[in-house]
Amino acid sequence: SLNKESNKRKMKKATIMILGMHCASCANNIERSLSKISGVKSARVNLMMKKGYVECEDNVKEDELKKAVKKAGYEARSVEFE
């Protein structure tokens, strides 16, 4: 089963600090924008915490996440991977 594991893409989690969200539809727009990135498995945005949580493949870049937030009309202040 060791071989099977290496076929699966390595995943990582990203937490994005987002500025400029005012309502639930803001958060939804950002989730949609992040979800369109190739390699992103899930994206959810917490309006109260002003944070986006993304689960993505290891090759997804910080810059891609920031661009997606910007495309939705908001500012990604920082991205932290774990």
Side-chain angles (χ1 to χ4, degrees):
S1 76
L2 204 62
N3 267 352
K4 242 192 218 116
E5 283 305 303
S6 61
N7 287 345
K8 278 206 302 213
R9 289 281 179 92
K10 205 163 159 310
M11 301 295 287
K12 63 184 176 184
K13 288 187 169 72
T15 303
I16 310 165
M17 288 289 303
I18 300 167
L19 301 181
M21 289 190 291
H22 305 294
C23 60
S25 71
C26 298
N28 292 340
N29 290 341
I30 297 170
E31 282 177 2
R32 265 202 301 278
S33 188
L34 287 167
S35 297
K36 285 180 185 156
I37 300 172
S38 164
V40 168
K41 289 286 170 276
S42 73
R44 62 189 179 82
V45 173
N46 184 318
L47 180 63
M48 292 303 163
M49 305 284 284
K50 296 179 168 51
K51 283 182 180 173
Y53 302 96
V54 176
E55 194 178 346
C56 57
E57 290 174 3
D58 206 30
N59 57 355
V60 174
K61 307 270 187 295
E62 174 178 339
D63 202 42
E64 294 177 83
L65 298 176
K66 285 185 169 172
K67 275 199 190 105
V69 172
K70 197 176 174 117
K71 200 183 278 179
Y74 307 91
E75 185 193 339
R77 174 51 60 89
S78 67
V79 178
E80 283 175 27
F81 289 110
E82 53 175 278

